[in-house]
Amino acid sequence: MGTATAGQSSTERTAWHNWAGNVTATPARVVTPASVGELQEAVRRAAEDGLRVKAVGTGHSFTAAAATDGVLVRPQALAGIRSIDRAAGTVTVAAGTVLKDLNQALAREGLSLTNMGDIMEQTVSGATSTGTHGTGRDSASIAAQIRGLELVTADGRLLTCSEKENPEVFAAARLGIGALGVVTAITFAVEPIFFLTAREEPMTFDRVTAEFEEHFAENEHFEFYWFPHTGNCNTKRNNRSQGPAAPPGRVSAWIEDELLSNGLFQAVNSLGRAVPATIPSIARVASRALSARTYTDIPYKVFTSPRRVRFVEMEYALPRERVVEALRELRSTVDRSGLRISFPVEVRTAPADDITLSTASGRETAYIAVHMYKSTPYQAYFTAAERIFTAHGGRPHWGKVHTRDAGYLAEVYPRFGEFTALRDRLDPDRVFGNDYLRRVLGD
């Protein structure tokens, strides 16, 4: 990305693109600050030059939330653990820290986040700012585990917030979509490391949907994947256990996580893109390839898995009591259509939280995520899915493909006006604005 090095800026106009390759931007300059002070100066200078500012992590969002033709801030030099407070049960990390590095560092300290998503390549600020989540009956998204944060505001000031300090900013900035400032550090709640036992098991679509509430109630972390064009699902139940660690054997782990989930999956998706008519047959074979297995390990080794096959994704958060009905409607829509879907549909849950624009704000939530292989036309499928999700009061994931605007979002988020009023106060000149934020927040 240009020629910028830590603490420098590059004016070489080089295109930036996200992980999936569906978003591209050409910033006027790229800044890679080596300190918070350098970041503050970069924001002040951009404002003086009349340029917008956006920070970008590893580009795992599928929206243009970080796209800009102004100043692109890459915070990767602002990385690492700043401090650990064992008495308070917190860790403070710089914003550019990659989740994988954080999880490994915490494990060395005998600590862990309570819950996390299924990929570790994101920066902590990128993951929380877009609402990255895993699945949980009682434990919520990564942003809901934040106990404090600091951010550089539009005038270059460094603002700290928590439940006690600037609480109105804290309520919103834990999931700020980059609209309120550039996050520089985050304090997370952590706990002593523990073991999770994962039980993966194939199950029919009819059974898993009929028993969904039962599986949700009986497991700390329940999720499942439905393979379109089939009546087959794969379920995953993660629950705390006493241990000891009993990870999958090296051979079986390679078969499940690399060969089937990445290598073979890459090959069949490439075939499906070239010859869409083969997809239903492939789906029937693929959905029967995964076998039941049980294993035990520390949290990040159970929650996360490698994702090497690139795709585009839409995900909606629905009231939990509506998810089974919506999923059945999606299956019926796919079955009646000429759509050919080679990626499974993922269903997860989250408890209600108190973050202003969290997809789980104020309500018990279930998520349905639909995917299409990279460079495959996805619009017809996503449009059909979105029509179903919005009919059930769905809230789109802030970092994934959707077509909703501020008018719709104000209807499904009771505290939407609270967020936009705070944005007006912190960034009246829209230093952190871009086209995506104009669409989803208004102007």
Side-chain angles (χ1 to χ4, degrees):
M1 173 70 228
T3 56
T5 56
Q8 300 177 350
S9 66
S10 169
T11 54
E12 177 188 339
R13 292 186 72 92
T14 304
W16 166 86
H17 60 83
N18 66 340
W19 178 82
N22 67 312
V23 178
T24 302
T26 306
R29 61 177 179 251
V30 179
V31 178
T32 54
S35 67
V36 172
E38 287 182 5
L39 174 58
Q40 291 176 273
E41 180 56 33
V43 171
R44 292 190 197 103
R45 184 181 163 205
E48 291 169 1
D49 293 344
L51 296 173
R52 304 290 173 94
V53 179
K54 298 307 299 179
V56 63
T58 54
H60 266 267
S61 290
F62 301 92
T63 69
T68 186
D69 58 3
V71 177
L72 191 71
V73 175
R74 299 189 68 95
Q76 277 78 354
L78 302 176
I81 291 178
R82 286 191 183 178
S83 62
I84 295 174
D85 186 334
R86 293 182 184 273
T90 61
V91 59
T92 299
V93 296
T97 307
V98 175
L99 284 168
K100 180 177 182 178
D101 297 334
L102 173 60
N103 286 330
Q104 292 176 344
L106 287 176
R108 288 193 294 270
E109 296 288 341
L111 300 169
S112 177
L113 295 170
T114 298
N115 199 357
M116 59 194 78
D118 61 2
I119 63 169
M120 294 197 294
E121 280 69 38
Q122 300 154 291
T123 60
V124 293
S125 54
T128 55
S129 293
T130 54
T132 293
H133 62 91
T135 189
R137 182 188 61 205
D138 310 305
S139 53
S141 70
I142 303 177
Q145 297 168 69
I146 294 177
R147 296 296 175 262
L149 57 79
E150 64 177 38
L151 70 162
V152 174
T153 57
D155 57 4
R157 288 183 303 127
L158 187 64
L159 182 69
T160 59
C161 59
S162 64
E163 287 185 344
K164 295 180 179 179
E165 186 178 13
N166 296 306
E168 76 290 351
V169 178
F170 182 68
R174 284 173 286 172
L175 197 168
I177 338 171
L180 305 177
V182 178
V183 175
T184 55
I186 298 174
T187 299
F188 289 106
V190 291
E191 59 176 302
I193 203 163
F194 53 93
F195 287 109
L196 285 171
T197 292
R199 180 182 171 194
E200 298 176 4
E201 179 185 4
M203 197 174 289
T204 65
F205 180 94
D206 291 339
R207 179 185 167 191
V208 76
T209 52
E211 299 176 354
F212 175 73
E213 280 297 321
E214 182 181 324
H215 292 305
F216 166 79
E218 291 177 353
N219 296 281
E220 293 174 76
H221 309 275
F222 174 69
E223 64 186 304
F224 69 93
Y225 299 83
W226 164 58
F227 294 82
H229 312 296
T230 81
N232 302 325
C233 297
N234 197 46
T235 64
K236 185 173 182 180
R237 286 166 271 194
N238 298 330
N239 290 286
R240 296 193 184 211
S241 69
Q242 294 301 308
R250 292 179 65 182
V251 173
S252 65
W254 180 83
I255 290 173
E256 294 278 349
D257 298 329
E258 291 299 338
L259 177 61
L260 295 178
S261 298
N262 286 293
L264 185 61
F265 196 48
Q266 176 80 54
V268 299
N269 273 280
S270 296
L271 174 60
R273 182 171 63 189
V275 190
T278 63
I279 288 176
S281 297
I282 291 171
R284 285 189 288 273
V285 173
S287 67
R288 291 194 294 264
L290 297 172
S291 57
R293 61 173 178 166
T294 300
Y295 54 95
T296 300
D297 218 324
I298 58 175
Y300 84 83
K301 293 185 178 181
V302 173
F303 284 130
T304 69
S305 55
R307 289 283 184 269
R308 304 192 217 289
V309 182
R310 303 208 177 202
F311 53 84
V312 178
E313 180 178 0
M314 168 185 282
E315 183 175 48
Y316 265 75
L318 309 180
R320 199 184 74 239
E321 66 273 12
R322 308 294 292 274
V323 71
V324 169
E325 181 183 355
L327 188 63
R328 288 171 174 156
E329 290 174 17
L330 181 63
R331 182 184 181 185
S332 178
T333 296
V334 170
D335 287 347
R336 292 195 316 266
S337 73
L339 295 169
R340 294 293 177 260
I341 314 302
S342 61
F343 256 83
V345 174
E346 184 178 22
V347 178
R348 295 177 289 176
T349 68
D353 64 42
D354 63 350
I355 303 171
T356 312
L357 290 188
S358 165
T359 47
S361 183
R363 74 184 189 192
E364 293 284 324
T365 295
Y367 298 92
I368 303 180
V370 296
H371 314 70
M372 286 290 275
Y373 185 48
K374 180 185 175 183
S375 302
T376 301
Y378 62 82
Q379 287 82 357
Y381 178 37
F382 284 14
T383 297
E386 191 171 41
R387 190 176 297 121
I388 294 167
F389 301 154
T390 55
H392 290 278
R395 298 168 177 170
H397 189 299
W398 294 107
K400 299 178 184 178
V401 174
H402 68 93
T403 67
R404 300 300 89 186
D405 62 14
Y408 175 87
L409 295 165
E411 293 178 0
V412 294
Y413 282 98
R415 299 171 67 185
F416 188 83
E418 181 183 327
F419 188 96
T420 54
L422 178 64
R423 183 191 186 207
D424 288 341
R425 176 162 70 83
L426 291 180
D427 187 15
D429 298 324
R430 302 297 188 256
V431 171
F432 302 115
N434 63 5
D435 290 343
Y436 177 74
L437 292 181
R438 187 177 300 111
R439 171 163 69 88
V440 301
L441 297 177
D443 205 13

